[in-house]
Amino acid sequence: MIKWAIIFLVIGLVAGALGLTGVAGVSMGIAKFLFVTALLIAVVLFVLGVTVFRRIT
């Protein structure tokens, strides 16, 4: 998921440099959404991993 966020970030930066502001805005929005989603999933999995580890040991 982070890979797709980086791809959309690059697309947004290139589109912004070329003057395609609509495409750049949409790409940056998608990149931000994917990054935040991946970050939330990582935090949830980390918390679950810590709690399961404590219950097992």
Side-chain angles (χ1 to χ4, degrees):
M1 192 174 290
I2 295 293
K3 177 182 173 182
W4 283 104
I6 292 171
I7 289 171
F8 277 107
L9 175 68
V10 170
I11 290 172
L13 290 174
V14 170
L18 295 176
L20 304 170
T21 56
V23 175
V26 171
S27 295
M28 295 299 247
I30 292 171
K32 187 186 295 186
F33 172 76
L34 289 175
F35 179 75
V36 169
T37 304
L39 191 64
L40 287 174
I41 289 172
V43 168
V44 167
L45 290 177
F46 176 73
V47 169
L48 287 176
V50 169
T51 56
V52 169
F53 179 72
R54 285 190 181 171
R55 288 187 184 180
I56 292 175
T57 57

